Amino acid sequence: MEIKIERAKTLKPKPAANTELGFGRYYTDHMFVLDWDKDQGWHDARIVPFAPIPLDPATMVLHYAQETFEGLKAYRTKDGRILLFRPEMNARRFANSNRRLCMPELSEEMFVEAIEALVSVEQDWVPAEEGTSLYIRPFMFATEAAVGVHPASSYKFVIILSPVGAYYPEGVNPVKIYVEDEYVRATKGGTGFTKCGGNYAASIAAQVKAEQLGYTQVLWLDGVERRYVEEVGTMNVMFMINDEIITAPCEGTVLPGVTRDSIIQILRSWGYQVSERHLAIDELMQGMRDDELTDELVALQGDVGMMTDRAERAEQELERYRQESESRAARAAEELAKARSELHEAEKRHLAAMKAEAGKVKAGHEEREKLKKDRDEKQRQVEALERKLTRMSEELEESRNKAQT
């Protein structure tokens, strides 16, 4: 495969030695890009400066999620060499994911060649400190601009690199695990065995719930009976019970991890009994209670120190419900006392208002009586004056008559 290389004109400052790298915080100067369409197939392989990817608002991946990805690492050895860990396994899994999502498959050779070429260009970004590596993220997505559910007619394959430390904040220390029996990660016939964004988006709700309850990760049960252990978060998981190492079988719901396959091969070569079988959560928890779990729960890529099963979780829920009930009862009692106090005050104000109104009514009655008396008195005075005027008129008339005679 011919790969064109365009060097970045301005290079980013690299993290200093012993920097807490975290996971996915830093990205290298370049990325690999390869295009595919129905007419040309795979074409225009190139390593270019790391930059945003412009997309049409109708780009199909934004609407129908035709997208797959992989994850692997490059390591720097003590003598300065840079090693990849079984990249051909990631290439095969990537092809299986693409086949399931009706996306074009990339050959194993092209996949590995692209990674090696980009890591070679960015080799100075591979950290050397213990517990660090260069994370490699190949991904592919539909680029056709069209709204309508169908396999896209064009795709883009990209690889980006990131120097990283531990994935979890706890590093390699034990983490608390929440046994999830409400949400499910995958069911047979679905996409559980692929690495596609939709699987991870659907898992976030359970992850958020676990974190709210004080746990770091989720232990997934099967999607049918909610009984059999499948994965932990984004990892495969193994248990050792009575000298038997047990891990969930890859039957379409579990991601066939590269580390998983490697550990199974190594353990069997050491003479351990490794069973790829269904393990009920009840069997696991009983093994823990009976001290039959030889080692604590071990998940590939990290150790897990604590799990909560249904019974323990039910007790926790009951205790939380009791506390919440007591709190609600106390709040209700306070509200009742407040309501009673407010009612008493309202009754006092109402009584005072009634008394005031009664006083006003009495005062009004007395005023009206006084006005009536005044009116009657005035009426009597008017009538007396009228009688007086009448007498005076009569006397005047009588005087006139006498004068004439």
Side-chain angles (χ1 to χ4, degrees):
M1 177 173 56
E2 181 181 352
I3 302 175
K4 298 177 183 178
I5 299 179
E6 177 189 346
R7 298 277 181 173
K9 295 179 181 179
T10 302
L11 300 181
K12 303 174 185 177
K14 297 178 177 63
N18 298 317
T19 296
E20 187 67 34
L21 295 174
F23 196 90
R25 296 179 187 171
Y26 304 93
Y27 293 94
T28 66
D29 298 299
H30 301 85
M31 60 186 185
F32 176 88
V33 183
L34 179 64
D35 295 309
W36 183 95
D37 61 47
K38 287 185 176 180
D39 296 329
Q40 302 178 76
W42 292 112
H43 63 280
D44 196 16
R46 57 203 184 274
I47 293 175
V48 296
F50 188 98
I53 300 173
L55 293 176
D56 188 292
T59 301
M60 289 184 64
V61 67
L62 302 178
H63 302 272
Y64 310 114
Q66 258 195 312
E67 180 271 348
T68 55
F69 68 95
E70 271 298 327
L72 62 158
K73 294 178 179 179
Y75 303 89
R76 189 180 294 277
T77 62
K78 291 183 179 180
D79 58 8
R81 292 177 299 141
I82 296 173
L83 305 178
L84 299 175
F85 182 68
R86 304 183 74 186
E88 72 284 351
M89 293 288 289
N90 295 89
R92 295 167 196 165
R93 187 171 64 185
F94 191 60
N96 288 336
S97 297
N98 289 352
R99 191 178 308 119
R100 175 63 179 82
L101 271 71
C102 295
M103 298 169 62
E105 296 176 34
L106 189 68
S107 71
E108 181 180 319
E109 293 74 18
M110 292 177 68
F111 182 93
V112 175
E113 182 182 355
I115 289 174
E116 291 178 341
L118 183 59
V119 171
S120 177
V121 169
E122 302 285 53
Q123 58 184 290
D124 290 344
W125 280 87
V126 183
E129 290 76 19
E130 184 177 353
T132 65
S133 59
L134 184 68
Y135 184 73
I136 304 167
R137 169 50 63 86
F139 60 99
M140 187 190 300
F141 61 94
T143 57
E144 180 187 355
V147 176
V149 182
H150 61 268
S153 61
S154 60
Y155 297 85
K156 194 178 290 291
F157 173 66
V158 183
I159 305 173
I160 57 176
L161 307 176
S162 174
V164 299
Y167 184 82
Y168 295 111
E170 295 86 350
V172 296
N173 295 315
V175 297
K176 294 174 67 178
I177 294 295
Y178 182 80
V179 180
E180 178 56 64
D181 58 1
E182 176 186 4
Y183 299 107
V184 299
R185 177 189 169 274
T187 57
K188 290 184 179 180
T191 58
F193 67 95
T194 71
K195 282 187 78 71
C196 66
N199 287 348
Y200 295 82
S203 72
I204 293 174
Q207 178 65 37
V208 169
K209 182 174 77 170
E211 290 175 355
Q212 290 174 343
L213 295 172
Y215 297 86
T216 303
Q217 264 297 351
V218 172
L219 186 144
W220 294 104
L221 303 179
D222 72 284
V224 178
E225 298 186 46
R226 308 289 209 282
R227 180 185 178 193
Y228 298 105
V229 174
E230 293 204 330
E231 293 188 2
V232 169
T234 59
M235 303 174 293
N236 298 119
V237 62
M238 294 182 178
F239 306 90
M240 188 171 184
I241 302 176
N242 289 334
D243 298 327
E244 178 191 13
I245 298 173
I246 307 165
T247 190
C250 293
E251 298 177 337
T253 59
V254 172
L255 187 72
V258 178
T259 309
R260 172 188 182 277
D261 179 80
S262 302
I263 290 180
I264 288 175
Q265 291 190 41
I266 292 172
L267 289 173
R268 285 174 175 164
S269 72
W270 288 348
Y272 285 95
Q273 177 189 353
V274 180
S275 302
E276 297 179 69
R277 67 173 179 86
H278 297 290
L279 174 65
I281 186 64
D282 297 333
E283 178 185 351
L284 173 62
M285 301 310 297
Q286 190 60 48
M288 292 180 66
R289 297 186 188 99
D290 295 343
D291 279 338
E292 295 175 350
L293 192 64
T294 305
D295 292 326
E296 290 185 336
L297 176 61
V298 175
L300 307 186
Q301 302 180 12
D303 292 333
V304 180
M306 183 185 297
M307 290 194 305
T308 299
D309 69 354
R310 291 184 180 90
E312 292 172 348
R313 188 157 69 249
E315 292 177 0
Q316 293 175 358
E317 292 290 337
L318 182 60
E319 176 62 19
R320 184 165 58 253
Y321 177 77
R322 183 187 64 77
Q323 293 177 357
E324 290 176 353
S325 297
E326 290 178 353
S327 177
R328 286 196 298 269
R331 289 196 299 271
E334 291 177 1
E335 292 173 0
L336 179 59
K338 181 180 178 181
R340 284 175 173 169
S341 175
E342 291 175 350
L343 177 60
H344 180 65
E345 292 298 321
E347 288 176 342
K348 287 171 63 177
R349 290 194 298 270
H350 180 64
L351 182 59
M354 289 179 65
K355 288 181 177 179
E357 185 64 25
K360 290 180 182 178
V361 170
K362 181 179 180 181
H365 177 71
E366 292 174 350
E367 182 66 24
R368 285 194 297 275
E369 288 295 321
K370 181 180 178 182
L371 290 174
K372 184 175 181 299
K373 289 179 180 179
D374 290 345
R375 184 195 63 188
D376 293 343
E377 181 62 30
K378 294 294 183 186
Q379 181 67 33
R380 286 192 295 273
Q381 290 176 2
V382 169
E383 291 175 350
L385 287 172
E386 287 177 346
R387 287 193 297 270
K388 185 176 181 180
L389 284 172
T390 300
R391 286 195 304 271
M392 289 176 68
S393 295
E394 291 175 349
E395 289 174 356
L396 179 60
E397 183 64 29
E398 184 179 351
S399 297
R400 284 176 181 173
N401 291 336
K402 288 179 178 180
Q404 289 178 355
T405 59

